[in-house]
Structures are given as structure tokens and as C-alpha cells.
Amino acid sequence: MTVSREVELQGHIIDSGMMQTCFGVIMDMGGSFEVEEFDIGRHEDERSYAKLLVSADDEEQLQSIVHELHQNGANPADPNDAHLEPAPADQVVPKGFYSTTNHPTEIRYDGEWIDVEDIEMDCAVVVEDGENPYAYTKVLNAVEEGDLIVTGEAGIRVSPPERPRGSEGAFGFMQGGVSSERPSETTIANIAEAIEETKSEGGKVLAVCGPALIHSGAREDLARLVREGYIDMISAGNGFAVHDIERDLYGTSLGMDTESLDHPRKGHKHHIYTISEVIREGGIEEAVESGTIESGVMYECVDNDRPFVLAGSIRDDGPLPDTITDAVEAQDAIREQAHEADMVLMLSTMLHSVAVGNCLPSTTRVVCVDINPATVTQLLDRGSAQAVGMVTDIGTFVPLLAEEVLDEE
């Protein structure tokens, strides 16, 4: 005896591939389906609708299929309210709690749909009861005893970003995936236009930076973008900041002159000397204010009041006093930045980009640039529908981007 459930798909379900994906999920998981209703949008701006009757051999199999469909934007045709259970203890969630995607999500509460705020992947949904109830995400280590946690799949509506035909404007190009063959100058011009549009709309641009950016000689151009207000926030590691400051103090990055490519005598000690000087001053801000640091990305962040997060790792030398060495504290700082960002530039750093990417909703515009194609693919596969990847040298990309943005002012 089979069991069945009706699910709905709405929006640009054909152009986005949502319908094809859902059909594949059902068949791959051993289920079957019938299309009960299908209303096709006849114009580029019209939405489509489909209702499917999904069948499986037993309830457990059906539940598994419906769960996967739900992650891809198919929702129950006749939803109930979301089921809530209190957290039994701090950092402990009820069994069967709903683990979020990074797509815009709503929950049904007291017969009404309410948005889940600060959506990101792999979180619990907490509901605050009261006259004006609201829902938001919490990472597991932030859950407190008594928090009302959404469990199961009922009363949850996920809306993956759509890709309608004829997407135009500054962000229309940000749906093409990864290509090392896409014309670089055209793509960089499009990215520059996207940055300018983000800023003109009052949005914020976050740059996630790796040390290779300094080694490759792109430091001054990134500093210009920070100084002129096209980059509002920096997320990086201890190494990025150390090498940026080393370039100011000693003219080297990890002991190498980034202009002549020479290795000065005792240059290999410059990075640790740099850390020592900043520790002596008490921190990066203090070193800028005293005149010890006079140029570079970190200098421009302090001088122009652009916030930065330096998240530490087990391999850091020093580290700098500004580096956050507690992993959970660093995650919280990264999360706060990510929630403020409207556009993110991931510049030649896989680990920090993954950390930031984990905190981003799928609607955030993302640009990922790395010389390694596997890095770009891995980052973009994490779920942003408004993303573009470039496989190129970061030392070429940043100066060209700065030229496009700054020389057209």
C-alpha cells in the first residue's frame, strides 16, 4: 500500500530548473508522482504553478522524499502550523529539529506565515511568542534552555532564489557559474558595475581577503577601494593583516619585495618583527594613531572607520592583538558582518570564504576569485544563486577592478 502527499511549486520553476530538480529527486529516491495541476507563465515576468501528488511505498520513504523536495522549494499544498518544542537545556535542541537551508524561509505560526530573520544554513529556527511573534535563526551553541524550536517539516516554506528569463541590469550576469574562459575584462566591468549599484542603493560590500592578495602586489589597489568607500568591511585572517602591515614597515610581504621579487637579507624575519611592533603598540589602531603604520589596507580601515574581523587559526604566528583566537567568538563576529553585507568579494582565500559563505543567505551577491578552479567551484557550490566565479590571478583582478571602479568616478 502506497502513501501520498501533495506538494506545490511556484515561481519561475521551469527557467530556474526547480521542476526538473524535483522530478529527479522523486525518481532517484524511489518514489513516483503525478502532475495534478500545471499553470505555465506565458511571459518572462509571469510565474508558473504546479501541484504534484508524490507517492512512496511507506511513510518513512515519503517523508524522506518530501524533505528533499522541501529543500529545493517544493512545499506542502495544505500546510499546518509549524511544530514547536522547547529546548531542554542550553546548547541542546529537541530531536528532529528543523535544520535550515540558506534560502529565504517562512514558518506558519497561528495560521499566519512569518519570515525567518537572519537566515543561514545549518541553524535552528527559534520563535519568540507574544503579540507580534517573530522567528529567527540560532546556531546550536547559542540555543538557550526554553527556546521554542521548530521541529519536523510541517509549516515551513522555503523559497530558493529564482532565475527568470531575461535577467538584466548590473546583477544579471551573476548567474553564470564558473568559467576561466569568460572574457575577464567584461566580467570585471560587470563586477565593478555591480559594486557601484550596491553602493548607490545604500548597500554594503564585504571583502574576504587572503594573504595572496598582498603577495601578488594588489595591496595598494585594495587599499584605494577601502579608502574611497567601495569596500565597507574586511574579513580576513591574521596572515593577511601581518603581511599588509609588513609591506608598510619593511617593504616586503613574507620576506619578499612584491615589486622587485627580491628576498632582502633577513627578510624572512620581517613578518615576526611586524607582529612584535604591533603588539608593542597595543594593536593595529594604536599603531596607526601613533604613526607606526602609514599605509595599506589595515591603515585605511582604521583611518576611514571601516570595520574588520581577523579570525585566527592554529597556525598563526603571534598573533596580532586584533586577531580573534576563540573560534566561536570569531564565528559570531563573521556572522555579524555577513548579515550586514549586500555583496561579498571572496578574494583568494578558501577557508575564510567558506566561513563567511556559511553565514550568507542565498540571495546575497557573491563574487569569488581564485587561481585554483576547484576553490572557486567549491565556494560557489555552497548555495548562492546570485554568484559569479573567476579563475584568475588575484594580482591581476584587483588592480583591474580598482581601475574600473575608481577611474570612472
Side-chain angles (χ1 to χ4, degrees):
M1 180 178 178
T2 61
V3 289
S4 304
R5 192 165 305 162
E6 288 182 327
V7 298
E8 296 176 320
L9 290 81
Q10 301 183 61
H12 296 280
I13 60 178
I14 301 173
D15 297 331
S16 67
M18 184 191 300
M19 174 174 280
Q20 180 180 353
T21 298
C22 289
F23 287 172
V25 165
I26 297 168
M27 293 184 287
D28 290 345
M29 298 184 70
S32 60
F33 65 91
E34 294 180 15
V35 179
E36 296 185 323
E37 295 183 39
F38 191 18
D39 184 12
I40 303 174
R42 304 291 179 178
H43 301 284
E44 290 181 353
D45 58 349
E46 287 187 357
R47 297 159 65 86
S48 300
Y49 171 84
K51 180 186 287 186
L52 310 181
L53 181 66
V54 181
S55 301
D57 293 335
D58 53 52
E59 187 63 34
E60 182 178 357
Q61 182 189 24
L62 180 62
Q63 182 61 31
S64 296
I65 294 172
V66 170
H67 171 79
E68 290 300 320
L69 292 175
H70 183 262
Q71 305 297 294
N72 287 283
N75 297 294
D78 186 20
N80 299 314
D81 280 357
H83 182 65
L84 307 178
E85 290 187 29
D90 289 352
Q91 301 185 7
V92 180
V93 291
K95 290 186 176 181
F97 78 100
Y98 175 73
S99 178
T100 57
T101 70
N102 62 349
H103 299 313
T105 302
E106 301 166 277
I107 65 153
R108 190 174 176 86
Y109 181 80
D110 198 19
E112 301 290 336
W113 289 103
I114 58 176
D115 292 329
V116 178
E117 300 174 12
D118 295 331
I119 192 67
E120 60 179 273
M121 65 175 68
D122 302 330
C123 290
V125 176
V126 177
V127 176
E128 294 285 346
D129 199 1
E131 185 175 347
N132 295 304
Y134 66 98
Y136 58 99
T137 57
K138 268 192 176 183
V139 292
L140 297 192
N141 62 40
V143 168
E144 299 176 274
E145 181 178 357
D147 279 347
L148 291 177
I149 307 292
V150 174
T151 61
E153 303 287 339
I156 302 167
R157 188 160 65 188
V158 176
S159 302
E162 298 174 347
R163 298 179 181 177
R165 230 179 359 254
S167 296
E168 297 177 354
F171 299 104
F173 79 103
M174 298 184 74
Q175 301 172 0
V178 181
S179 175
S180 56
E181 298 177 358
R182 186 183 292 116
S184 296
E185 290 185 7
T186 300
T187 305
I188 291 172
N190 287 333
I191 294 169
E193 184 182 354
I195 291 173
E196 291 164 355
E197 183 167 321
T198 298
K199 297 301 300 176
S200 69
E201 294 173 350
K204 292 185 177 181
V205 179
L206 168 64
V208 187
C209 308
L213 192 149
I214 307 298
H215 305 331
S216 64
R219 168 181 180 265
E220 282 67 30
D221 292 289
L222 184 66
R224 289 173 63 205
L225 290 168
V226 173
R227 180 170 62 251
E228 299 300 327
Y230 288 97
I231 291 178
D232 301 277
M233 302 173 284
I234 293 286
S235 181
N238 183 72
F240 172 84
V242 170
H243 300 143
D244 171 64
I245 298 169
E246 177 191 338
R247 183 76 177 89
D248 177 70
L249 298 183
Y250 298 101
T252 60
S253 174
L254 202 59
M256 183 188 73
D257 188 313
T258 57
E259 293 182 2
S260 68
L261 303 183
D262 291 335
H263 288 77
R265 185 171 178 271
K266 294 186 178 180
H268 64 283
K269 298 182 179 182
H270 287 172
H271 79 284
I272 202 68
Y273 288 167
T274 297
I275 293 169
S276 176
E277 289 304 309
V278 177
I279 292 174
R280 191 189 321 279
E281 295 280 355
I284 295 173
E285 182 176 354
E286 291 83 354
V288 169
E289 291 174 350
S290 72
T292 299
I293 300 174
E294 298 181 328
S295 70
V297 179
M298 305 313 299
Y299 171 86
E300 297 296 348
C301 284
V302 172
D303 196 50
N304 295 282
D305 198 25
R306 314 275 189 243
F308 59 86
V309 171
L310 303 179
S313 73
I314 198 168
R315 66 182 183 274
D316 287 338
D317 289 323
L320 294 168
D322 304 82
T323 300
I324 303 172
T325 56
D326 183 289
V328 174
E329 184 183 345
Q331 286 178 1
D332 290 340
I334 288 171
R335 181 169 290 109
E336 184 176 346
Q337 273 194 333
H339 289 171
E340 292 183 12
D342 299 285
M343 183 173 179
V344 179
L345 306 178
M346 297 178 172
L347 305 176
S348 197
T349 170
M350 183 174 74
L351 295 180
H352 288 277
S353 294
V354 167
V356 173
N358 285 345
C359 303
L360 294 174
S362 61
T363 50
T364 300
R365 299 145 181 167
V366 175
V367 174
C368 178
V369 182
D370 201 283
I371 197 67
N372 185 349
T375 297
V376 178
T377 301
Q378 179 177 346
L379 291 170
L380 295 195
D381 280 350
R382 302 188 73 79
S384 177
Q386 290 182 284
V388 64
M390 281 192 67
V391 179
T392 190
D393 172 42
I394 198 68
T396 300
F397 172 82
V398 173
L400 288 174
L401 179 66
E403 182 179 347
E404 283 285 345
V405 173
L406 299 172
D407 291 355
E408 293 181 3
E409 290 183 332

